[in-house]
Amino acid sequence: MSVSSLVPFSTSSKAATAAAAAAATTLPLSSSSLPSSRIATRPIPINALPKMRSSYNKSENGGHMAKWLNAMKAQSPPRSHPSSDESFDLFDAKAAEYAAWTENHPPILGMFEKLMKAAKGKQVAVFLDYDGTLSPIVEDPDKAYMAPDMRATVHDVATYFPTAIISGRGRQKVFEFVQLPELFYAGSHGMDIMGPADGCFKHLALLCQQGNDIVVFQPASEYLPLINKVCKILEENTKDIEGAKIEHNLFCASVHFRRVKEENWVQLAERVANVMKNYPTLSLTHGRKVLEIRPAIKWDKGKAVNFLLESLGMANSNDVLPVYIGDDRTDEDAFKMVNGMKHGCSILVSTAPKSTSAAYSIRDPSEVKQFLHQLVHWKKSGMNRNHSASSRNGQMTTPTRILKNICSPISL
């Protein structure tokens, strides 16, 4: 069976849905026999997902411009440098503010024992953002490399728990940074998901190195041509603004302004606005010194987490505890989703007080690594021995079952 023989899902055709399910479930379920040319895809026509109101409105251009600029400034620390005397007062004030904030978002490292008591006897699944969580925020987004010791720690986590990286970056770019084929990868804010088909990681590594994906879920596949077009227009319209960088993340476009002088932010925002007004089916969100342009559909990191939990057979269960760690506004949907489960742990990475739905806090990637290391140690020590992390309701959550679940229809 070739990739082209897979039938896209359609909300208007039960026959097409049945045919797609049949085609998907006839894929070989062992990676040792999986030809590198076979890819299990599940494109979802855009009319199968609810659309959101576009974030851009021509009649409200001025109001939106002000909101954009305020959001851009909110993501950026002040450039002025206080005097030595002022710096002590500023430090004390910020420290006091952060301490007050952590009363409502306690540091997870100090709560680890309590969390593990709640996790005892439950299946733990780990979901991680990339930039600012597994790697530090850097001036050049192409150089957000993952430290070898962090990679080793994430590898250990994936050995014991289902582990996914959910990023606004393109999925392939994130994989190039992480280079761990045993993980699930959700790029473009969850609009492009790949998962390992089997526990035969050596074979999967070969497939990934050849650029062949195993399982792909792409709920906004019809937007790909439009995103390609918009990226080219943005690159042309911003090329004379020093420091501006357009990153094509497959189903999303990122306008980085970290290296743009603050006096040029208005000009950059206006250029982006002029592009956005012509594409009402796209929406705009803000991140840490980045403007994110994406399809205006109701799909986000929270829905990606839910999809992966369903694919793993771990959704709607009282014996599951998902852990989500992220640092940006786009992670808030995932925090809310995890908080809505009976058991869940949402952790914001931040050294400053922020408005967030996360229940816990952690300061930086070095503390994230420490937390993940503690999680692995807890598992290896057998403290969760009252429950098998690979079973649910008498069924084994095996890699084969994961592949079957991902390839089968689910309700959106």
Side-chain angles (χ1 to χ4, degrees):
M1 181 186 69
S2 65
V3 175
S4 61
S5 66
L6 292 175
V7 181
F9 284 79
S10 170
T11 55
S12 61
S13 173
K14 293 183 179 180
T17 302
T25 54
T26 56
L27 283 172
L29 297 180
S30 170
S31 67
S32 60
S33 62
L34 182 64
S36 60
S37 62
R38 289 189 176 178
I39 305 173
T41 61
R42 194 171 170 233
I44 305 295
I46 205 60
N47 59 9
L49 293 175
K51 294 183 179 180
M52 299 186 298
R53 180 179 179 272
S54 172
S55 65
Y56 186 90
N57 186 306
K58 294 181 182 180
S59 63
E60 301 173 356
N61 186 16
H64 278 291
M65 181 62 66
K67 290 180 181 179
W68 290 13
L69 291 173
N70 289 336
M72 291 169 74
K73 292 177 181 178
Q75 299 296 327
S76 311
R79 291 178 178 269
S80 60
H81 299 283
S83 65
S84 58
D85 291 337
E86 291 175 332
S87 64
F88 285 107
D89 293 337
L90 185 62
F91 175 81
D92 290 342
K94 287 186 175 181
E97 186 182 7
Y98 185 77
W101 178 76
T102 57
E103 291 182 4
N104 293 322
H105 310 281
I108 191 62
L109 293 180
M111 304 290 291
F112 187 81
E113 185 176 347
K114 179 179 179 180
L115 174 65
M116 290 305 98
K117 286 182 179 179
K120 189 173 183 179
K122 298 178 180 64
Q123 300 179 81
V124 175
V126 180
F127 302 93
L128 305 162
D129 180 33
Y130 183 76
D131 293 276
T133 300
L134 298 179
S135 72
I137 298 294
V138 295
E139 289 293 318
D140 187 349
D142 290 335
K143 296 182 179 179
Y145 303 121
M146 190 179 193
D149 54 347
M150 177 66 88
R151 181 177 293 106
T153 300
V154 175
H155 167 75
D156 291 342
V157 171
T159 301
Y160 295 99
F161 310 101
T163 304
I165 295 180
I166 304 180
S167 173
R169 298 259 199 169
R171 174 174 53 81
Q172 185 58 37
K173 184 65 174 181
V174 176
F175 179 82
E176 290 172 1
F177 281 137
V178 180
Q179 300 177 28
L180 293 174
E182 59 268 37
L183 304 182
F184 291 85
Y185 291 88
S188 302
H189 300 286
M191 296 185 189
D192 187 16
I193 301 177
M194 179 186 79
D198 199 289
C200 184
F201 298 150
K202 181 178 179 181
H203 182 71
L204 288 179
L206 176 62
L207 292 179
C208 290
Q209 288 170 6
Q210 294 175 345
N212 295 291
D213 299 338
I214 307 304
V215 178
V216 177
F217 174 78
Q218 297 174 335
S221 58
E222 291 188 356
Y223 274 93
L224 185 56
L226 181 58
I227 294 296
N228 287 335
K229 179 179 180 180
V230 169
C231 278
K232 292 178 181 178
I233 296 174
L234 287 171
E235 288 174 354
E236 180 65 26
N237 288 6
T238 62
K239 65 182 181 182
D240 62 331
I241 300 179
E242 184 178 358
K245 180 179 177 60
I246 309 302
E247 185 177 13
H248 192 332
N249 292 317
L250 196 61
F251 296 102
C252 303
S254 299
V255 182
H256 296 276
F257 60 91
R258 180 170 296 276
R259 305 171 79 175
V260 176
K261 294 180 180 179
E262 191 168 340
E263 56 263 31
N264 293 330
W265 288 4
V266 172
Q267 183 183 24
L268 178 62
E270 288 177 343
R271 300 280 183 89
V272 174
N274 287 333
V275 174
M276 288 291 292
K277 68 183 181 183
N278 296 318
Y279 300 99
T281 59
L282 299 179
S283 66
L284 180 131
T285 58
H286 310 86
R288 294 177 65 177
K289 293 192 176 179
V290 63
L291 301 176
E292 302 273 10
I293 297 169
R294 64 172 92 173
I297 61 173
K298 290 187 177 181
W299 189 266
D300 50 46
K301 288 186 175 184
K303 289 181 172 57
V305 170
N306 185 64
F307 170 78
L308 285 168
L309 287 172
E310 287 197 13
S311 301
L312 288 161
M314 298 172 69
N316 303 316
S317 174
N318 291 334
D319 63 353
V320 171
L321 193 154
V323 176
Y324 189 97
I325 309 178
D327 76 310
D328 212 341
R329 288 184 58 181
T330 57
D331 297 304
E332 292 297 321
D333 296 308
F335 293 152
K336 294 174 184 177
M337 186 273 156
V338 168
N339 293 343
M341 298 188 68
K342 183 172 183 179
H343 307 286
C345 177
S346 54
I347 307 171
L348 175 70
V349 185
S350 180
T351 57
K354 289 183 179 180
S355 176
T356 181
S357 297
Y360 301 97
S361 63
I362 200 164
R363 293 187 65 87
D364 52 39
S366 66
E367 289 194 354
V368 172
K369 183 181 69 175
Q370 184 179 348
F371 171 78
L372 296 177
H373 179 75
Q374 290 180 343
L375 192 62
V376 171
H377 177 73
W378 169 77
K379 180 65 176 180
K380 290 172 69 175
S381 67
M383 296 177 69
N384 195 35
R385 56 181 172 268
N386 290 343
H387 187 280
S388 172
S390 63
S391 64
R392 176 177 176 269
N393 297 331
Q395 295 181 335
M396 294 296 293
T397 308
T398 61
T400 294
R401 184 166 174 260
I402 291 172
L403 175 62
K404 184 176 180 180
N405 284 333
I406 291 180
C407 291
S408 299
I410 64 170
S411 59
L412 295 174

